Amino acid sequence: MAGGASTPALAAAVSDAGGVGFLAAGYKTAAAMREDIAATRGRTSRPFGMNVFMPSLDGIDDGAVAAYRDRLVPEAERLGVDLGTPSARDDDYTAKIADLLDDPPAFVSFTFGCPTVDVIRAFQDRGTTVVVTVTSTDEARAASAADVLCVQGAEAGGHRGSFTNSVDGALPLRELLRLVRDLVPHPLIAAGGLATSEDVAEILSLGAAAAQVGTAFVRCPESGASAVHKAALADPRFISTAMTRAFSGRPARGLVNRFLTEHSAQAPAAYPDVHFITAPLRRAAAAQGDPDVVNLWAGEAFRLAPEAPAAEIVEMLSR
Ligand SMILES: Cc1cc2nc3c(=O)[nH]c(=O)nc-3n(C[C@H](O)[C@H](O)[C@H](O)COP(=O)(O)O)c2cc1C
């Protein structure tokens, strides 16, 4: 859970409780990623994973980005900040891969695409299990060199892990899992809207080898999500989630707030440029306690996310 929620304390607590905790490399430098791995190793001797964003390959329409930027100027003025400037689109991928190959954790997972077969093999040669997130049968086919596929349904909170910025054909988890299960022999991790032990038991009965859970951990004390984000998940004012490009230029599911409602229709498919442009808005709004301009990532089952220690949540899900 890039963007703050994932911490060494959360990953270690999940692994210690019998799950597999994942750290997030997304938006971080390779050096910060290394520090998180060291901190997690200091907290647990159990296996854990690192999640890496693939560099964005989509073409970006600079004119559409400029128009969206202009649209957001009043938001910036209201919050008293300047809009951000688009920066590197590769999320320090090459340096992260080099560092991870040097000293890998037990699992490495990829989202927003699939690494080359050479990179996958290099991790496998080191005994690391390679997971690739897929959101369609085409992506499942393209990721066949991976050891395990994470099948992410449309219910999932946060970014869609699809290989492109497109949201076309987002399938619900159970339907996608059945299709992928019949297509590839890989063990499958199911992700999206899983929040109870009944959900986990059901998804395992449909052929998943494991359940991946994000939103259910956002409110726990080990999560580094902002106070605004944690509070919004339990705030009766927020009644639903929607998929939007408004915050980052890539489809992601979050609580329906004012920013999402007012800007989704105009937001271009331009990740990560839009992510950089809106970053100061989101930061300032979180600091000012204003949930209406924060990307409140949440899966469809967000109402069931408990405020409880991570170990208790793992225990609750595996009951
Ligand atoms: C706050 C948040 C941040 C996320 N960040 C990432 C990420 O960095 N990488 C990734 O592969 N998935 C990310 N996801 C998606 C999760 O991996 C997972 O697919 C999703 O949380 C499952 O659905 P659920 O939220 O309904 O449990 C994120 C989800 C949330 C809620």
Side-chain angles (χ1 to χ4, degrees):
M1 287 192 284
S6 282
T7 60
L10 177 54
V14 169
S15 289
D16 276 344
V20 178
F22 268 80
L23 296 165
Y27 313 129
K28 293 195 169 174
T29 61
M33 178 196 78
R34 283 199 311 272
E35 281 168 25
D36 278 358
I37 292 175
T40 308
R41 285 186 178 139
R43 287 171 173 270
T44 183
S45 52
R46 305 281 307 157
F48 63 90
M50 177 61 78
N51 175 256
V52 178
F53 286 175
M54 291 302 295
S56 186
L57 296 176
D58 289 311
I60 288 186
D61 177 345
D62 291 331
V65 173
Y68 190 60
R69 190 176 200 288
D70 288 347
R71 181 186 173 82
L72 299 182
V73 167
E75 297 277 6
E77 285 172 351
R78 201 178 47 78
L79 287 162
V81 294
D82 291 327
L83 291 168
T85 307
S87 178
R89 289 174 180 159
D90 66 352
D91 201 45
D92 217 3
Y93 176 77
T94 307
K96 284 173 186 168
I97 295 302
D99 284 353
L100 287 170
L101 285 173
D102 220 22
D103 189 12
F107 296 84
V108 176
S109 72
F110 295 90
T111 196
F112 302 156
C114 183
T116 62
V117 172
D118 286 352
V119 167
I120 292 176
R121 297 267 182 272
F123 280 113
Q124 290 168 334
D125 289 347
R126 286 158 177 76
T128 296
T129 300
V130 176
V131 183
V132 173
T133 305
V134 300
T135 61
S136 69
T137 49
D138 283 351
E139 290 172 1
R141 250 186 238 108
S144 63
D147 298 300
V148 177
L149 302 184
C150 170
V151 177
Q152 187 199 44
E155 302 92 331
H159 280 107
R160 258 174 86 62
S162 46
F163 294 12
T164 70
N165 277 329
S166 162
V167 74
D168 300 342
L171 291 177
L173 176 60
R174 285 152 188 81
E175 192 177 334
L176 182 61
L177 183 67
R178 286 191 185 94
L179 292 170
V180 174
R181 181 192 69 187
D182 292 345
L183 192 71
V184 298
H186 300 63
L188 304 177
I189 300 171
L194 305 176
T196 64
S197 58
E198 289 90 345
D199 293 338
V200 173
E202 183 206 355
I203 217 68
L204 297 181
S205 78
L206 291 176
Q212 178 166 313
V213 172
T215 305
F217 288 107
V218 170
R219 296 181 68 215
C220 71
E222 295 92 340
S223 151
S226 67
V228 164
H229 190 178
K230 289 184 178 188
L233 287 171
D235 183 343
R237 191 160 80 77
F238 295 108
I239 53 175
S240 62
T241 66
M243 201 100 82
T244 183
R245 289 194 188 102
F247 295 102
S248 70
R250 233 184 195 283
R253 184 174 294 284
L255 297 179
V256 175
N257 60 3
R258 185 185 61 75
F259 191 92
L260 185 151
T261 304
E262 289 184 8
H263 301 299
S264 288
Q266 278 74 28
Y271 176 89
D273 291 28
V274 173
H275 159 80
F276 288 120
I277 289 169
T278 66
L281 299 180
R282 293 180 276 122
R283 239 187 337 262
Q288 294 173 23
D290 173 6
D292 267 309
V293 191
V294 177
N295 52 312
L296 303 169
W297 296 156
E300 286 184 357
F302 73 94
R303 276 275 169 258
L304 297 169
E307 187 180 10
E312 279 181 29
I313 298 174
V314 174
E315 202 270 324
M316 178 274 285
L317 290 168
S318 26
R319 223 171 262 156

